[in-house]
Amino acid sequence: MDTVDVVALGESMVTFLPSRPGRLADVPSFERGIGGAESNVACVLAAAGHSARWVGRVGADGFGDHLVEAIGAYGVDVASVRRDPARRTGIYFRTAGDRATDAHEVAYYRAGSAASAMTVENVDLDAARSGRVLHLSGITAALSGGCLDLLRELTAPRAGRPLVSFDVNHRPGLWRDTDGPRVLLELARGADIVFVGDDEARQAWGLHGARAIREALPEPEIVVVKQGRGGATALDKDTDGLCEDATGTATFVPALNVDVVAAVGAGDAFAAGFLSAALRGLPVRDRLRHGHLMAAAALTVPGDLAAPPARDHADRLAALDDAGWGTLRLGPGWTEADARAEEEVRTP
């Protein structure tokens, strides 16, 4: 199987976006879209010019058809997605409000889904290991015992293992018992790159601050702690003993000023931006800045997925000095502004 830049393994679902704000009980109609932490990362990376493959399972139904076709339309290789004739594709509905507020509602219909039946035996492991990077998340581990065994297999040390990227994605409502935090810590310690929000680290592990999180995760090469509107901190591994403490060098990049349309999909977009810059060999500061830029693209559209900025546009913004970065403000349509400006120059 051809090697690609990134393989993302996990559940993707059909999502129904409301036609107007309000309670689910009051919304008269919904627009169909796609959603899934891992497939979102694959779609953003493919749209940004990387080769990406999604590995998962969907039902042999119309929603499964839609997912495979829609994700494939982003340029993602979906040839390794398997169909389950006995189980349905997961779907969910959500309100238009910010998910951080009490008014936000999400209704999942994913129990017993085709993806929840993924196991070591029925997933193409060669395809899963065919990327330079394998991106996983804690959501998959919560779906079933078979899914957890699959993630343990993929994060286990072995010769020739791809670089493993793991987004903790702590979702308490998905876990059937109280083992979720312990399992997520175990899986994160088996990864090479870890993404975790400081809020979920407090909730799951009782940890406060980037240094404390890094101390609890000594094995990964880099731990990225997302601090919401504040920014993000990446902590390298101290491999030569030259750092002042065992948690390695910390690099902090403040978040951008963004006119938010919908606060969904930003975490997945951030991970995609960081991984894109890592695949290109950019320094840690620029990886964080590209993460923020991809997150800003997601925050300024209503759905989970947004067209990323052109690579040269993102590179120019990421290269700004600290003062320029601090005054940058991005709103709806900003990813297309560079292309529009070039068109205006060409137009007599």
Side-chain angles (χ1 to χ4, degrees):
M1 180 169 290
D2 293 340
T3 299
V4 295
D5 290 334
V6 175
V7 173
L9 179 145
E11 179 172 34
S12 190
M13 294 180 290
V14 173
T15 175
F16 289 91
L17 310 176
S19 58
R20 70 182 190 194
R23 302 183 310 154
L24 285 179
D26 299 329
V27 175
S29 60
F30 296 81
E31 181 179 350
R32 185 180 63 178
I34 60 174
E38 302 85 1
S39 60
N40 283 349
V41 171
C43 289
V44 174
L45 283 166
H50 294 277
S51 54
R53 177 172 290 135
W54 174 47
V55 176
R57 287 176 71 84
V58 297
D61 50 30
F63 288 144
D65 293 342
H66 175 65
L67 282 175
V68 172
E69 292 167 7
I71 293 171
Y74 278 88
V76 177
D77 182 344
V78 293
S80 300
V81 177
R82 295 184 173 173
R83 312 300 292 264
D84 189 330
R87 294 173 180 265
R88 297 177 179 177
T89 303
I91 64 173
Y92 71 98
F93 297 78
R94 67 170 175 83
T95 51
D98 186 336
R99 67 174 59 184
T101 69
D102 293 338
H104 183 70
E105 297 174 75
V106 181
Y108 288 103
Y109 299 88
R110 75 195 306 177
S113 68
S116 70
M118 288 190 295
T119 66
V120 173
E121 290 76 24
N122 66 19
V123 165
D124 188 340
L125 296 181
D126 289 337
R129 293 174 171 135
S130 63
R132 294 168 58 193
V133 175
L134 169 60
H135 183 70
L136 307 168
S137 95
I139 293 173
T140 305
L143 297 180
S144 68
C147 286
L148 174 55
D149 289 343
L150 175 61
L151 259 63
R152 283 176 167 151
E153 168 67 22
L154 293 172
T155 56
R158 57 178 290 150
R161 189 187 85 167
L163 196 75
V164 173
S165 163
F166 183 72
D167 194 335
V168 172
N169 266 326
H170 181 224
R171 301 288 189 269
L174 284 178
W175 291 91
R176 298 163 301 285
D177 50 40
T178 60
D179 286 343
R182 177 188 60 77
V183 170
L184 292 172
L185 187 65
E186 169 202 332
L187 294 171
R189 293 182 67 177
D192 300 295
I193 301 172
V194 174
F195 299 96
V196 61
D198 58 353
D199 55 344
E200 61 184 348
R202 285 194 300 272
Q203 183 183 30
W205 304 323
L207 299 174
H208 299 267
R211 289 290 183 186
I213 295 169
R214 184 50 160 151
E215 288 172 0
L217 298 170
E219 295 86 356
E221 292 299 318
I222 191 164
V223 174
V224 181
V225 180
K226 298 174 290 183
Q227 295 150 304
R229 294 173 185 255
T233 300
L235 295 107
D236 284 328
K237 191 173 186 179
D238 181 13
T239 57
D240 52 19
L242 298 179
C243 295
E244 293 184 0
D245 62 48
T247 60
T249 304
T251 303
F252 171 77
V253 171
L256 291 160
N257 295 310
V258 178
D259 296 327
V260 176
V261 172
V264 292
D268 302 330
F270 180 94
F274 187 95
L275 292 175
S276 173
L279 285 162
R280 296 167 58 202
L282 300 184
V284 173
R285 188 208 70 164
D286 290 0
R287 298 180 195 183
L288 290 169
R289 285 192 169 190
H290 277 276
H292 285 314
L293 289 165
M294 291 291 198
L299 289 168
T300 50
V301 299
D304 286 31
L305 286 167
R311 182 173 291 184
D312 59 347
H313 185 192
D315 284 344
R316 287 197 301 274
L317 295 179
L320 290 170
D321 60 21
D322 289 345
W325 180 264
T327 58
L328 191 62
R329 189 176 190 95
L330 302 174
W334 76 269
T335 59
E336 303 168 2
D338 204 47
R340 286 200 302 267
E342 290 184 5
E343 180 63 26
E344 289 172 3
V345 169
R346 292 193 299 269
T347 302

